[in-house]
Amino acid sequence: MLDRSSWTPKQIDLSRPNGARMYDYLLGGGCNTAADREMAKRLVALMPQVKETVRLNRSFLRRVVTFLVAQGVTQFLDIGAGIPSVGNVHQVAQALDPECRVVYVDNDPIAIAYAEPVLKDNKLAAAALADFRSPEQVLRAPAVRSLIDFDRPVAVLVLLMMHFVPDSDDPARLVGRYRDALAPGSYVAVSHPSFTGAHGELLADAEAVGEIVQDAMEPLHLRGADDLLRILAGFEPVPPGVVHLPLWRPDSTADVGRHPERSLVYGVVAAKP
């Protein structure tokens, strides 16, 4: 647990919950604070589905990376990556192809401070402190320039992060800047919360969770499938397109369940022609 470890950056307010650290806690990680744990427990108590959504997103990540490596992609830029936990991108990708290169990008200094010792013995994986909303900062980060060759296909992963980017920041323009930097044959993968398909008690619980997160952290910006397609203009979604997480290339029909829409998160992978 953090709670002001000696290496924790002094400018970070550990009394305020942080999305990346809460996600780490829900995955069973140890890079989180009392504030993160308290908030995560509060959300789970209100809506147990929160834990299942985190699990489904991690499973989506695994399936996406497996698919992309099978397409010949060996370079991954994970933006808004949070804290590397068990089953993260470099572990999945390098198990399939040891030559895969991975750079984790996050704007949280704690996530980067934790990632660096985790990755220090991995010559093909690194972490960079940068913000998705500043594409030039991301694309020119030393770790990115060192490991990623933009003349070859790259997979850009933006998982459970873009809902913190308001429409006023023009996410389509931001994604377009990354698209322009990528070689043909590159991909982008997005998972994004949406209340589409939620009704009754599930919708009420989800809205209550959203209000708590907004009050304690930062505003959420939920989007539907059409919104995501607009944001990804210039990319071509691969089948099955924009779907709720359990429906994106499941390993078996048993993994889909009776109500995949209850994940409350869309997933999509799209290719640059």
Side-chain angles (χ1 to χ4, degrees):
M1 305 299 178
L2 292 176
D3 303 322
R4 194 52 69 193
S5 300
S6 59
W7 54 267
T8 304
K10 296 296 187 289
Q11 70 271 26
I12 297 299
D13 181 5
L14 296 185
S15 66
R16 185 181 183 188
N18 169 273
R21 300 193 304 266
M22 288 169 56
Y23 191 80
D24 172 74
Y25 170 74
L26 291 169
L27 284 173
C31 190
N32 46 77
T33 70
D36 303 319
R37 298 188 289 276
E38 180 181 349
M39 174 60 75
K41 290 175 182 177
R42 184 180 175 191
L43 298 183
V44 170
L46 180 61
M47 185 181 179
Q49 176 69 22
V50 168
K51 267 195 170 182
E52 177 66 4
T53 297
V54 168
R55 184 193 69 80
L56 289 172
N57 191 66
R58 183 46 55 106
S59 179
F60 174 69
L61 179 151
R62 175 183 54 77
R63 299 196 307 276
V64 165
V65 172
T66 300
F67 166 78
L68 293 172
V69 173
Q71 306 313 302
V73 177
T74 59
Q75 301 186 105
F76 294 84
L77 187 58
D78 188 354
I79 307 178
I83 297 160
S85 301
V86 175
N88 221 306
V89 178
H90 71 284
Q91 293 169 316
V92 178
Q94 291 176 353
L96 297 167
D97 183 343
E99 297 304 311
C100 282
R101 297 166 177 260
V102 179
V103 179
Y104 297 103
V105 177
D106 204 278
N107 65 357
D108 179 6
I110 285 184
I112 302 305
Y114 186 80
E116 287 174 343
V118 171
L119 302 173
K120 66 181 179 65
D121 294 326
N122 192 323
K123 295 182 179 179
L124 297 182
L129 181 64
D131 194 308
F132 170 80
R133 293 165 292 190
S134 299
E136 297 306 322
Q137 181 188 48
V138 172
L139 296 170
R140 294 176 180 175
V144 174
R145 303 308 302 178
S146 173
L147 284 178
I148 303 298
D149 178 2
F150 287 99
D151 290 329
R152 299 191 298 112
V154 177
V156 176
L157 311 181
V158 188
L159 305 186
L160 284 188
M161 188 281 294
M162 205 179 294
H163 54 291
F164 292 121
V165 179
D167 289 340
S168 59
D169 282 343
D170 197 350
R173 177 186 61 81
L174 296 174
V175 170
R177 176 63 190 92
Y178 291 104
R179 183 193 64 236
D180 291 345
L182 300 175
S186 295
Y187 291 82
V188 62
V190 175
S191 62
H192 197 298
S194 174
F195 289 170
T196 303
H199 304 283
E201 183 178 352
L202 177 64
L203 178 59
D205 288 348
E207 289 176 339
V209 165
E211 289 177 3
I212 291 173
V213 171
Q214 292 194 144
D215 289 343
M217 295 168 55
E218 52 187 308
L220 300 179
H221 306 275
L222 304 178
R223 297 181 173 99
D226 289 343
D227 298 319
L228 293 183
L229 289 175
R230 283 192 291 271
I231 289 172
L232 297 178
F235 288 97
E236 297 181 353
V238 302
V242 182
V243 294
H244 286 99
L245 292 185
L247 294 171
W248 198 89
R249 297 178 178 255
D251 294 325
S252 71
T253 55
D255 293 332
V256 174
R258 296 178 60 186
H259 298 287
E261 74 281 358
R262 292 179 67 87
S263 69
L264 301 181
V265 178
Y266 279 124
V268 59
V269 176
K272 177 174 178 176

